[in-house]
Amino acid sequence: MDKETRAAAPPADAELGGRRPQYRPPYGYAGLAALAVFALYALTLAPTTQFWDTSEYIATAHILGIPHPPGNPLFVVLARTWDILLAPLGLPTAARVNLFSATMGALAHGFWFLLVHRILAFYSENRAFRLVGAAAAVLISATAFTVWNQSNVNEKVYTVSLLTIALLSWLAFRWRDHLGEGKDDNLLLLMVFILALSVGNHLMAFLAAPALIVFILLVHPGTLINWKLYAASVAAVFLGLSIHLFLPIRAGLQPVINEADPTCATVGSALESIVTMGGRGCPELSAALARQQYDKPSILVNPMDPGLPRDSHLFSRQVFNYAEYFDWQWARSISGNVGWFGGLRPLLTLLFALLGALGAWTHWQRDRRSFAYVALLFGTLSFGLVFYLNFKYGYTLPTALMKRELLALVGNARDLTEVRERDYFFIVSFSVWGLWAGIGLAALWQRVADQLARRGAGRPLFSASPVLTLALLPLALNWSWATRAHDYAARDWAYNLLMSVEPYGILFTNGDNDTFPLWYLQEVEGLRRDVTVMVMSYLNTPWYVKQIKRLTQPCPPGVDPLADRTRITCQRPYEPDRGPAMYARLFEADSGAEPVQRAPTRSIVPLSDQEIDTIAGTWPYALPEARDYAVGNIRTTLPKDDVIIPSDVFMATMIQQAVGDRPVYFAMTTAAYEELRLRPYLIRQGVAFKLNNGPVVADSTAGIVAAADARMAQLTGPFVDVPRTEELLTNVFQHRGGFPERWRHWVDSATEGIPFYYGFTHLGLAQAHELLGNDIAADGHVKRAEAFLRLGYVREEASR
């Protein structure tokens, strides 16, 4: 052991001949800490899916699908294994996968407990002090808002990264403690393997590498010139990276969710792409690993306008955005309704900033080597990430002044903010700062106890212990925003949207967030698989259009599309027992006439794979002259200079194939219909708009009512199908968890449209009832609309 390590070891034991015993980690107490954190996360666990990537990851784990690039094969394999292991408990799949995230977060804090306990060994030989101090640090870290919010919902893969980094940190500390005992290389090789394997989950865990290298250099630099270690490390890296072979193997089997379709012709080409992480070899796999689909701009350019360079002014604003996320961590439930710089929350943020600074300062004084590791880890995963990620401004950052500055700089900038909050990228930095805040609190506790001891107080540590109650503040002040125990909103929105669509309908959606819950409902709960969900943002990619082509083709005789529910076979059937009773009547014929509905007779993509590739490879272009678009009884004109992109071409082609064969719908979350000027042909049915095959005519006898004026039409749609929408809202739609009446706020600012969509639906139906003379029904829907809209506006106030 080196000098500093010996200083932190227990005193010599006479029974051991005066030899100094080695540091013994309190694994039992660490296990109890992890169990306590798990209990907290389980108590506040989301009972079902949530918005954003939650649904995608739950669905891909359940069916062994491939999520968005880079594909996260390690996560999919681990989560599917967990899903199978917990199946005998009878829990819903979503709850099982959410518990996977809770377990990852809890285990991470078990290792953090060991880490802090080891650091506090440099502060005191008092066992109780080290155990209680480590517990306080874990409590603060585990209840930091983003850490908690990512652990009771499997929204991303970052809890696995958090666990990986915590495990690597503990292994590094154990390596130092066992230096010279012959186990050095074994632990380092294990760390190399874990780093390589972690890339199959996300690159975040690999960001611990700089801190690990610096720690090794400070403790024993000679380790890095051991050529045998490098030779063995090559094998460890290759073995760890081989998890990526899951991607081309599974993609070749055509799972229903197969994003980027990373298929490869040979194993050799796949291995070449994997070893080079996106280099030559298998083009599809390389593109997925390199995340080419997202075309992220360089870290040196302005993300709002890549034509301009990034500068220190912009970076300072991005750091300010990180500071806003940091401000959320310790007292998220305290509203900032008097501005971000007002109210009580900034004072609490300052408190935990000072506690963390005290922890860092005393850590530097006690053990500079482990301090250097933790400091570099925090710096890399906070300000280093701010620089590398080069985000636009945060979704709710108070940017009134900044937008004026940016507009002056960029001129014609349209999109100045990210589509959602990105605090989850900094989860490790918030967790690590929570540890330092706990160490600072332990140091404060120690100093108060020393002062009491000088004054002759008995049991000074116990007498000073009330100061430790500060560790409870994040738990108390984040609870109402972090808990998801009541939240069914995403799952119920997906249910309500799918049930708004008639059998075999095509449903155009906007992007990830309004699509993934639909995928979850179809692939996990098995509801409304007959509906073809069409993601407009993916329609610019050839792989997606080809999958839709296969998914909507009629089934040959004798082929069961549900024989393997995880793979694309052909058009999946409508199952009447899993949909509203009113849709079963669509298949019934009256007086010998043809039924209104029947199974589709053709795919909605009549193009060859080569034609799809050609269209998808076409750059956006402006129409040189006005162009008519006609399909069935629909007639529109696209104006001159209208910009056309591949998704517009594919959408127009799909509608042309669908009209007369299957119904076409647009979710309220998208305005894709505007690309083809289709608004006059839309009729509201529930929370979706049905495309009518021809001009819509108001008909009070049929319950088709036009909006009262143009402004109302913008909110509710131009026409409302009153009987259908009434049936859906009254007898079909689901709203659980006290939504919206008992909800105090809407947690995710970027999905605030959901309560508004419901509110506008009820407003539109209320107006239609009023025009039809149904005043009592109109009043009922007005009250429901007010409840939804109130929740949306409360969210706006609470997020400031």
Side-chain angles (χ1 to χ4, degrees), residues 59-66 80 250-251 253-258 522-524 529 551 560-569 572:
T60 51
H62 186 63
I63 68 169
L64 283 180
I66 299 176
R80 177 54 180 157
R250 183 56 179 163
L253 296 175
Q254 298 182 4
V256 177
I257 302 177
N258 183 15
Q522 291 180 317
E523 309 313 325
V524 177
R529 299 183 192 211
L551 191 61
D560 180 5
L562 301 181
D564 185 347
R565 299 184 177 223
T566 71
R567 297 172 60 189
I568 295 176
T569 305
R572 296 183 288 187

Side-chain angles (χ1 to χ4, degrees), residues 641-759:
D641 297 327
D642 201 19
V643 176
I644 301 297
I645 60 177
S647 62
D648 300 332
V649 178
F650 288 127
M651 176 174 64
T653 303
M654 291 173 176
I655 292 175
Q656 185 169 6
Q657 282 292 104
V659 167
D661 195 50
R662 63 177 90 204
V664 176
Y665 285 81
F666 293 89
M668 285 188 72
T669 52
T670 182
Y673 47 80
E674 298 288 8
E675 301 298 328
L676 299 177
R677 309 303 191 269
L678 298 175
R679 175 179 280 272
Y681 297 89
L682 301 181
I683 304 174
R684 173 183 289 283
Q685 292 183 349
V687 289
F689 297 114
K690 183 180 182 180
L691 180 65
N692 192 58
N693 185 13
V696 183
V697 179
D699 183 354
S700 59
T701 59
I704 305 299
V705 178
D709 52 50
R711 182 178 179 277
M712 181 62 71
Q714 290 293 322
L715 299 177
T716 66
F719 296 91
V720 177
D721 183 336
V722 176
R724 177 68 59 81
T725 302
E726 181 69 45
E727 175 69 14
L728 287 166
L729 266 62
T730 305
N731 299 321
V732 177
F733 280 10
Q734 296 180 350
H735 296 293
R736 292 172 293 170
F739 176 73
E741 288 82 2
R742 294 206 299 270
W743 281 37
R744 296 173 56 192
H745 54 260
W746 185 265
V747 175
D748 179 25
S749 57
T751 58
E752 67 182 358
I754 300 301
F756 284 106
Y757 294 143
Y758 284 127

Side-chain angles (χ1 to χ4, degrees), residues 473-614:
L473 289 177
L475 173 66
L477 299 178
N478 285 333
W479 183 285
S480 65
W481 277 69
T483 182
R484 291 291 184 275
H486 64 289
D487 194 347
Y488 295 85
R491 187 269 177 197
D492 288 350
W493 167 259
Y495 180 88
N496 298 339
L497 180 53
L498 283 177
M499 294 305 170
S500 298
V501 178
E502 292 173 359
Y504 297 109
I506 335 176
L507 176 62
F508 287 97
T509 59
N510 184 49
D512 297 358
N513 192 40
D514 63 340
T515 303
F516 293 159
L518 306 179
W519 285 0
Y520 161 80
L521 208 70
Q522 291 180 317
E523 309 313 325
V524 177
E525 296 193 18
L527 294 176
R528 299 305 309 275
R529 299 183 192 211
D530 61 290
V531 175
T532 303
V533 177
M534 203 70 55
V535 196
M536 287 302 298
S537 58
Y538 286 7
L539 276 183
N540 290 304
T541 63
W543 58 265
Y544 182 67
V545 180
K546 293 173 185 177
Q547 290 173 11
I548 293 297
K549 175 184 175 180
R550 296 194 301 270
L551 191 61
T552 58
Q553 65 187 3
C555 297
V559 174
D560 180 5
L562 301 181
D564 185 347
R565 299 184 177 223
T566 71
R567 297 172 60 189
I568 295 176
T569 305
C570 52
Q571 174 66 55
R572 296 183 288 187
Y574 175 68
E575 299 172 282
D577 59 328
R578 313 213 74 185
M582 62 183 173
Y583 291 153
R585 296 192 293 270
L586 296 176
F587 292 91
E588 300 172 356
D590 293 328
S591 303
E594 286 291 322
V596 176
Q597 274 282 12
R598 52 185 169 76
T601 62
R602 57 183 179 265
S603 170
I604 61 172
V605 182
L607 307 169
S608 67
D609 287 356
Q610 184 177 0
E611 289 172 323
I612 292 172
D613 289 334
T614 300

Side-chain angles (χ1 to χ4, degrees), residues 400-414 416:
L401 173 62
M402 295 181 196
K403 286 183 179 180
R404 287 196 294 270
E405 293 175 349
L406 207 61
L407 284 170
L409 177 66
V410 179
N412 62 349
R414 296 179 182 178
L416 308 181

Side-chain angles (χ1 to χ4, degrees), residues 354-368:
L354 292 175
L355 283 175
L358 176 61
W361 172 246
T362 56
H363 189 183
W364 162 262
Q365 291 178 315
R366 300 301 200 282
D367 179 23
R368 296 189 177 184

Side-chain angles (χ1 to χ4, degrees), residues 275-408:
V275 171
T276 56
M277 289 309 293
R280 298 178 59 185
C282 172
E284 293 80 6
L285 180 58
S286 294
L289 295 177
R291 294 172 57 88
Q292 290 180 11
Q293 178 176 321
Y294 298 100
D295 192 26
K296 188 180 184 302
S298 164
I299 61 174
L300 301 178
V301 303
N302 187 310
M304 279 67 77
D305 188 341
L308 294 175
R310 186 180 187 182
D311 55 27
S312 58
H313 177 80
L314 176 59
F315 179 67
S316 68
R317 297 307 196 191
Q318 291 167 333
V319 171
F320 185 82
N321 195 175
Y322 175 83
E324 183 196 29
Y325 293 154
F326 185 88
D327 174 62
W328 291 356
Q329 301 308 307
W330 323 111
R332 188 69 177 98
S333 66
I334 296 182
S335 173
N337 56 8
V338 293
W340 188 70
F341 291 107
L344 179 61
R345 192 169 71 202
L347 296 178
L348 292 164
T349 299
L350 179 62
L351 169 64
F352 283 93
L354 292 175
L355 283 175
L358 176 61
W361 172 246
T362 56
H363 189 183
W364 162 262
Q365 291 178 315
R366 300 301 200 282
D367 179 23
R368 296 189 177 184
R369 291 172 182 172
S370 65
F371 165 82
Y373 172 78
V374 176
L376 187 54
L377 184 66
F378 172 77
T380 302
L381 289 158
S382 56
F383 303 112
L385 267 182
V386 169
F387 178 80
Y388 174 75
L389 295 172
N390 192 20
F391 283 139
K392 302 174 186 178
Y393 293 140
Y395 191 82
T396 55
L397 187 68
T399 55
L401 173 62
M402 295 181 196
K403 286 183 179 180
R404 287 196 294 270
E405 293 175 349
L406 207 61
L407 284 170

Side-chain angles (χ1 to χ4, degrees), residues 124-450:
S124 172
E125 296 180 358
N126 187 299
R127 184 168 178 265
F129 170 79
R130 298 198 300 265
L131 292 173
V132 174
V138 162
L139 177 60
I140 296 173
S141 171
T143 55
F145 174 71
T146 298
V147 179
W148 191 350
N149 200 34
Q150 287 288 313
S151 296
N152 58 4
V153 174
N154 195 90
E155 200 268 312
K156 287 284 188 182
V157 297
Y158 298 123
T159 53
V160 178
S161 295
L162 179 65
L163 169 59
T164 305
I165 291 174
L167 172 59
L168 287 169
S169 300
W170 176 240
L171 290 176
F173 277 42
R174 293 307 287 159
W175 168 77
R176 181 171 80 160
D177 283 345
H178 288 286
L179 199 60
E181 296 180 10
K183 300 179 181 179
D184 314 353
D185 291 351
N186 293 343
L187 282 174
L188 291 177
L189 283 174
L190 177 59
M191 291 159 63
V192 169
F193 169 73
I194 292 173
L195 277 172
L197 183 64
S198 71
V199 175
N201 178 70
H202 194 274
L203 282 173
M204 177 179 285
F206 199 79
L207 295 178
L212 291 170
I213 292 172
V214 168
F215 188 65
I216 293 170
L217 284 171
L218 291 175
V219 173
H220 194 258
T223 300
L224 296 181
I225 60 174
N226 182 354
W227 68 268
K228 293 181 180 180
L229 181 62
Y230 288 102
S233 294
V234 171
V237 169
F238 183 83
L239 184 61
L241 292 178
S242 67
I243 185 65
H244 288 88
L245 284 173
F246 168 84
L247 297 176
I249 292 173
R250 183 56 179 163
L253 296 175
Q254 298 182 4
V256 177
I257 302 177
N258 183 15
E259 299 193 52
D261 191 14
T263 53
C264 297
T266 65
V267 174
S269 64
L271 288 173
E272 184 178 352
S273 290
I274 291 168
V275 171
T276 56
M277 289 309 293
R280 298 178 59 185
C282 172
E284 293 80 6
L285 180 58
S286 294
L289 295 177
R291 294 172 57 88
Q292 290 180 11
Q293 178 176 321
Y294 298 100
D295 192 26
K296 188 180 184 302
S298 164
I299 61 174
L300 301 178
V301 303
N302 187 310
M304 279 67 77
D305 188 341
L308 294 175
R310 186 180 187 182
D311 55 27
S312 58
H313 177 80
L314 176 59
F315 179 67
S316 68
R317 297 307 196 191
Q318 291 167 333
V319 171
F320 185 82
N321 195 175
Y322 175 83
E324 183 196 29
Y325 293 154
F326 185 88
D327 174 62
W328 291 356
Q329 301 308 307
W330 323 111
R332 188 69 177 98
S333 66
I334 296 182
S335 173
N337 56 8
V338 293
W340 188 70
F341 291 107
L344 179 61
R345 192 169 71 202
L347 296 178
L348 292 164
T349 299
L350 179 62
L351 169 64
F352 283 93
L354 292 175
L355 283 175
L358 176 61
W361 172 246
T362 56
H363 189 183
W364 162 262
Q365 291 178 315
R366 300 301 200 282
D367 179 23
R368 296 189 177 184
R369 291 172 182 172
S370 65
F371 165 82
Y373 172 78
V374 176
L376 187 54
L377 184 66
F378 172 77
T380 302
L381 289 158
S382 56
F383 303 112
L385 267 182
V386 169
F387 178 80
Y388 174 75
L389 295 172
N390 192 20
F391 283 139
K392 302 174 186 178
Y393 293 140
Y395 191 82
T396 55
L397 187 68
T399 55
L401 173 62
M402 295 181 196
K403 286 183 179 180
R404 287 196 294 270
E405 293 175 349
L406 207 61
L407 284 170
L409 177 66
V410 179
N412 62 349
R414 296 179 182 178
D415 185 7
L416 308 181
T417 62
E418 292 289 322
V419 297
R420 61 171 299 191
E421 301 296 2
R422 304 295 190 184
D423 56 305
Y424 52 83
F425 275 105
F426 306 106
I427 180 175
V428 179
S429 71
F430 300 141
S431 180
V432 170
W433 191 266
L435 300 180
W436 258 346
I439 292 173
L441 185 59
L444 179 62
W445 178 35
Q446 188 179 49
R447 292 184 182 185
V448 172
D450 289 344

